[in-house]
Amino acid sequence: MQAWRAELKRHFFILTAVSLTGFAIGELELAWLLLFVSYAVSNFYQLLRLTKWLAKDHSSNKSPPPESFGLWGGIFDGIYRLQKQERRASAYLETIVNKAQESSAALEMAVIMIDRKNNLDWWNQASESLLGLRYPQDRGQPVTNLIRAPRFGEYFSSNNYDEPLKLNAPGDSGRVLEFQIALFGESERLMIARDITRLHRLELMRKDFVGNVSHELGTPITVIKGYLETIMENIQDLDDKWRKPIKQMHQQSYRIENIVKDLLLLSSLETKTRPRPQDSFSLLQLLSEILNDTQQIFAKKSHDFRLDCNEKLQFLGENGELYSAISNLITNAAKYTPAGGTIMVSAKNSEAGLEIMIRDNGIGIESQHLPRLTERFYRVDVSRSSETGGTGLGLAIVKHIVGRHDGELNIESEAGKGSRFICHFPSIRVKLEAPNAASMEPPAPATTA
Ligand code: ADP
């Protein structure tokens, strides 16, 4: 504002001086014409200097702007100031980019940026050794051309990256990589791949070990249980002091057998491929069957069992596995609900998917236990669980089966009031169909062998 005022004053002063001089010599028009021409020439000259200066390469040659005064001086200085600010900002950005590149180069995991057209944009050094990317040849190439495994293609285009993807390294089937993708900006992706070969081998060893131990224990336990059963049939022939220990051994042999069965089931679930949503069966029929079986086992407790399920609901998955999961939940509800209590089983289908809920008004669970309930061998109360013949593996099995069918298990409970176990399945796992003869065949429970 100050500069404008000074400039106006200067112009006014020059105009007055030229007018007076022109008036004095009797050539007022000529004086104004000369003034106008010199004004236009001077401005044109300044514009020329500015254009020349701007045309220079300022990244290498940091020449100062031309000296000037008045408004033009202000314009030159302003541009110079902005240029300096921009240089400072880009130097700062350059240091940050350099630091990010240096730190990502030091990482052992591959970090890759993929543009919104799914082409490789940038990657760190580790990507070259882990995934065989080459700079600059692969820049701008579609990522799915370089990592060709069909499972990677499916994962990449799914846009659902909640779970990481495990895959053999391209060109090196002995190495296992774990891929994780995050979306950012305008549909751009940041992909991280790390070598998990060692972890994968350990995990395989653990699964094999559990599977083998359970399998090896199977035969001796069956033999011991068989002998104990024979002894139990003739328990009256035994000396008094042997009766109690033999009874306990007989009970415990059942427990060990159940634990081994559950461990074998878990290990087979871990090794089998996921059931595809191809085969379907009637949900109402499956739930009714489980309810009937449980009702018979817990007949003495006279529970009030209720079932709410549309007869058209068809589940797409593995019949035996779903039987096992739901049967575990209903058996738990019956175990942990006192005599006369209510056990409600319902299946609801909506746009959000299928929800199978098992609700009881039994003893409930204190909130601190809820996050750990699905861990193997986790029990709220060890003595209570042993009394009910529990193995502590039931909910781990349920979670596994529900997960294998793309679902999720949610548990809500309040001590003293009851519990709700809800299995959410996506819509791909359900269809509505009038009941037919084929779906009336009884389901076979999951086998552990
Ligand atoms: P278990 O074989 O011991 O029943 P689970 O894995 O099936 O093992 O369940 C873990 C624990 O969760 C149980 O020990 C029990 O304390 C608790 N639990 C499971 N279902 C219920 C239920 N419906 N009501 C109350 N507690 C339950």
Side-chain angles (χ1 to χ4, degrees), residues 6 22 115 366 377 411:
D115 67 18
E366 281 169 11
F377 295 113
I411 308 171

Side-chain angles (χ1 to χ4, degrees), residues 328-329 332-333 335-336 360 363-365 373 378-381 384-385 388-396 419 421:
N328 257 308
L329 294 176
N332 273 351
K335 276 200 290 194
Y336 302 108
D360 65 60
I363 58 172
I365 306 158
L373 275 190
Y378 186 84
R379 282 129 167 179
V380 173
D381 179 340
R384 191 171 74 197
S385 180
T388 53
T391 62
L393 290 167
L395 291 179
S419 314
F421 289 77

Side-chain angles (χ1 to χ4, degrees), residues 81-98:
R81 231 186 355 263
L82 285 176
Q83 221 179 31
K84 279 208 302 206
Q85 271 173 14
E86 197 202 291
R87 246 184 242 136
R88 268 201 299 272
S90 61
Y92 176 66
L93 278 178
E94 212 176 295
T95 1
I96 290 186
V97 170
N98 285 344

Side-chain angles (χ1 to χ4, degrees), residues 111-182:
V111 182
I112 301 152
M113 279 193 200
I114 299 160
D115 67 18
R116 59 199 169 110
K117 289 184 179 156
N118 303 341
N119 297 330
L120 295 169
D121 194 13
W122 175 90
W123 56 88
N124 67 346
Q125 255 168 25
S127 314
E128 310 200 348
S129 55
L130 279 181
L131 299 166
L133 301 186
R134 292 154 309 156
Y135 186 83
Q137 299 95 304
D138 292 337
R139 191 153 185 241
Q141 294 280 331
V143 60
T144 40
N145 277 8
L146 295 154
I147 307 170
R148 287 177 170 272
R151 276 181 56 224
F152 178 81
E154 274 169 32
Y155 179 68
F156 187 82
S157 51
S158 72
N159 275 359
N160 176 6
Y161 307 125
D162 295 346
E163 292 290 323
L165 172 76
K166 275 188 204 168
L167 212 64
N168 287 342
D172 181 358
S173 54
R175 257 199 308 180
V176 184
L177 302 182
E178 184 183 75
F179 291 86
Q180 203 137 30
I181 299 180

